[in-house]
Protein backbone atom coordinates (compact mmCIF):
# COMPACT_ATOMS: atom_id res chain seq x y z
CA UNK A 1 0.00 0.00 0.00
CA UNK A 2 1.38 3.35 -1.02
CA UNK A 3 -0.31 6.63 -0.42
CA UNK A 4 1.33 9.73 -1.84
CA UNK A 5 0.55 13.20 -0.58
CA UNK A 6 0.74 16.52 -2.37
CA UNK A 7 0.30 19.69 -0.39
CA UNK A 8 0.25 22.64 -2.77
CA UNK A 9 1.53 26.02 -1.63
CA UNK A 10 1.18 28.51 -4.47
CA UNK A 11 1.74 27.50 -8.06
CA UNK A 12 5.01 25.58 -7.50
CA UNK A 13 3.67 23.06 -5.01
CA UNK A 14 5.42 20.50 -2.89
CA UNK A 15 5.26 16.76 -3.40
CA UNK A 16 5.83 14.46 -0.47
CA UNK A 17 6.53 10.78 -0.97
CA UNK A 18 5.49 9.10 2.25
CA UNK A 19 7.11 6.04 3.71
CA UNK A 20 6.43 4.29 7.03
CA UNK A 21 9.41 6.10 8.61
CA UNK A 22 8.14 9.62 7.82
CA UNK A 23 7.53 11.77 10.92
CA UNK A 24 4.98 14.01 9.20
CA UNK A 25 1.39 14.12 10.53
CA UNK A 26 0.54 12.64 7.13
CA UNK A 27 2.80 9.67 7.85
CA UNK A 28 1.67 6.15 7.14
CA UNK A 29 1.31 3.90 10.16
CA UNK A 30 1.76 0.41 8.75
CA UNK A 31 -0.62 -1.00 11.37
CA UNK A 32 -3.38 1.45 10.37
CA UNK A 33 -5.93 0.15 7.87
CA UNK A 34 -6.52 2.06 4.64
CA UNK A 35 -10.01 3.03 5.83
CA UNK A 36 -8.68 4.34 9.16
CA UNK A 37 -5.86 6.24 7.44
CA UNK A 38 -8.30 7.89 5.04
CA UNK A 39 -10.65 8.84 7.92
CA UNK A 40 -7.68 10.27 9.86
CA UNK A 41 -6.55 12.35 6.88
CA UNK A 42 -10.10 13.64 6.37
CA UNK A 43 -10.37 14.69 10.02
CA UNK A 44 -6.89 16.26 10.15
CA UNK A 45 -7.14 18.34 6.95
CA UNK A 46 -9.81 21.01 6.43
CA UNK A 47 -9.75 20.55 2.63
CA UNK A 48 -8.48 17.30 1.16
CA UNK A 49 -8.75 15.78 -2.30
CA UNK A 50 -8.32 12.04 -2.81
CA UNK A 51 -7.36 11.20 -6.36
CA UNK A 52 -5.74 8.77 -8.75
CA UNK A 53 -2.32 9.50 -10.20
CA UNK A 54 -2.40 11.97 -13.13
CA UNK A 55 -6.08 12.85 -12.72
CA UNK A 56 -7.00 15.87 -14.84
CA UNK A 57 -10.20 16.47 -12.84
CA UNK A 58 -8.12 16.79 -9.67
CA UNK A 59 -6.00 19.43 -11.39
CA UNK A 60 -9.13 21.46 -12.20
CA UNK A 61 -10.36 21.06 -8.60
CA UNK A 62 -7.02 22.38 -7.28
CA UNK A 63 -7.13 25.32 -9.72
CA UNK A 64 -10.67 26.26 -8.65
CA UNK A 65 -9.78 26.11 -4.96
CA UNK A 66 -6.47 27.98 -5.42
CA UNK A 67 -8.31 30.76 -7.28
CA UNK A 68 -10.31 31.24 -4.05
CA UNK A 69 -7.11 31.16 -1.97
CA UNK A 70 -7.33 27.57 -0.72
CA UNK A 71 -4.52 25.07 -1.25
CA UNK A 72 -5.89 21.61 -0.46
CA UNK A 73 -4.00 18.59 0.70
CA UNK A 74 -4.02 16.14 -2.21
CA UNK A 75 -3.71 12.42 -1.55
CA UNK A 76 -3.00 10.12 -4.48
CA UNK A 77 -4.43 6.69 -3.79
CA UNK A 78 -3.44 3.43 -5.38
CA UNK A 79 -6.27 1.73 -7.30
CA UNK A 80 -6.83 -0.85 -4.54
CA UNK A 81 -7.16 1.94 -1.93
CA UNK A 82 -9.84 3.94 -3.74
CA UNK A 83 -12.63 1.61 -2.64
CA UNK A 84 -11.91 2.67 0.98
CA UNK A 85 -13.18 6.22 0.34
CA UNK A 86 -16.33 6.89 2.36
CA UNK A 87 -19.54 7.87 0.56
CA UNK A 88 -21.39 11.08 1.30
CA UNK A 89 -24.37 10.96 3.61
CA UNK A 90 -27.77 11.46 2.06
CA UNK A 91 -28.47 15.16 1.87
CA UNK A 92 -24.85 16.32 2.13
CA UNK A 93 -24.72 19.64 0.31
CA UNK A 94 -27.88 18.61 -1.59
CA UNK A 95 -25.99 16.99 -4.44
CA UNK A 96 -25.41 13.43 -3.32
CA UNK A 97 -26.78 12.13 -6.62
CA UNK A 98 -23.64 13.01 -8.60
CA UNK A 99 -21.47 10.18 -9.92
CA UNK A 100 -18.47 11.12 -7.75
CA UNK A 101 -20.37 10.67 -4.50
CA UNK A 102 -20.36 6.90 -4.49
CA UNK A 103 -17.94 5.03 -2.26
CA UNK A 104 -14.67 4.24 -3.92
CA UNK A 105 -14.91 6.91 -6.61
CA UNK A 106 -12.11 9.42 -7.13
CA UNK A 107 -11.39 12.25 -7.28
CA UNK A 108 -13.30 13.13 -4.15
CA UNK A 109 -13.00 16.37 -2.18
CA UNK A 110 -13.76 16.65 1.53
CA UNK A 111 -14.32 20.02 3.19
CA UNK A 112 -14.48 20.15 6.97
CA UNK A 113 -14.76 16.38 7.13
CA UNK A 114 -17.76 16.26 4.78
CA UNK A 115 -17.56 14.65 1.37
CA UNK A 116 -18.50 17.23 -1.24
CA UNK A 117 -18.06 14.83 -4.16
CA UNK A 118 -16.12 15.11 -7.38
CA UNK A 119 -15.42 17.93 -9.79
CA UNK A 120 -19.04 18.33 -10.87
CA UNK A 121 -20.21 18.64 -7.25
CA UNK A 122 -17.43 21.10 -6.38
CA UNK A 123 -18.26 23.32 -9.37
CA UNK A 124 -21.99 23.13 -8.55
CA UNK A 125 -21.25 24.17 -4.96
CA UNK A 126 -19.18 27.10 -6.25
CA UNK A 127 -21.75 28.23 -8.83
CA UNK A 128 -24.53 28.08 -6.23
CA UNK A 129 -22.54 30.46 -4.00
CA UNK A 130 -22.15 27.90 -1.20
CA UNK A 131 -18.45 26.99 -1.62
CA UNK A 132 -16.85 30.14 -0.20
CA UNK A 133 -19.14 30.27 2.88
CA UNK A 134 -18.34 26.60 3.54
CA UNK A 135 -14.59 27.34 3.32
CA UNK A 136 -15.04 30.29 5.69
CA UNK A 137 -17.04 28.04 8.06
CA UNK A 138 -14.19 25.49 8.29
CA UNK A 139 -11.62 28.26 8.77
CA UNK A 140 -9.65 27.81 5.56
CA UNK A 141 -10.28 31.37 4.46
CA UNK A 142 -11.24 34.25 6.72
CA UNK A 143 -13.43 36.31 4.46
CA UNK A 144 -15.72 36.07 1.48
CA UNK A 145 -13.85 37.07 -1.70
Amino acid sequence: MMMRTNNFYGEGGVRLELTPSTTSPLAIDVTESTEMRIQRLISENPVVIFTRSSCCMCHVMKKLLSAIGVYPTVIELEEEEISALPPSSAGDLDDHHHVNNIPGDAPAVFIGGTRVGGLESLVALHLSGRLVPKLVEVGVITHVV
Side-chain angles (χ1 to χ4, degrees):
M1 278 187 270
M2 171 123 174
M3 189 177 291
R4 292 175 297 231
T5 304
N6 294 320
N7 200 345
F8 287 86
Y9 300 101
E11 289 297 313
V14 175
R15 182 181 180 100
L16 303 172
E17 292 291 333
L18 299 180
T19 62
S21 62
T22 302
T23 58
S24 161
L26 299 173
I28 295 172
D29 175 354
V30 293
T31 62
E32 187 176 45
S33 71
T34 301
E35 291 82 4
M36 291 302 297
R37 184 168 48 250
I38 287 172
Q39 285 297 341
R40 178 176 55 82
L41 290 166
I42 291 168
S43 68
E44 292 174 352
N45 295 281
V47 180
V48 62
I49 298 172
F50 291 94
T51 186
R52 293 175 167 86
S53 181
S54 303
C55 175
C56 63
M57 291 181 288
C58 176
H59 176 74
V60 175
M61 294 168 95
K62 291 183 292 190
K63 284 293 195 185
L64 171 60
L65 290 166
S66 69
I68 298 169
V70 174
Y71 302 94
T73 300
V74 178
I75 310 293
E76 290 182 7
L77 298 176
E78 298 295 323
E79 284 301 317
E80 63 273 6
E81 296 173 315
I82 290 172
S83 64
L85 286 171
S88 67
S89 323
D92 279 353
L93 306 176
D94 298 323
D95 65 352
H96 61 276
H97 60 280
H98 291 307
V99 173
N100 289 105
N101 277 349
I102 58 175
D105 203 8
V109 64
F110 290 78
I111 299 174
T114 301
R115 183 177 178 139
V116 171
L119 176 59
E120 185 178 339
S121 298
L122 184 64
V123 170
L125 191 63
H126 179 58
L127 293 175
S128 71
R130 296 183 295 156
L131 178 59
V132 171
K134 179 113 178 111
L135 295 168
V136 170
E137 179 185 318
V138 301
V140 181
I141 54 178
T142 57
H143 63 284
V144 177
V145 284

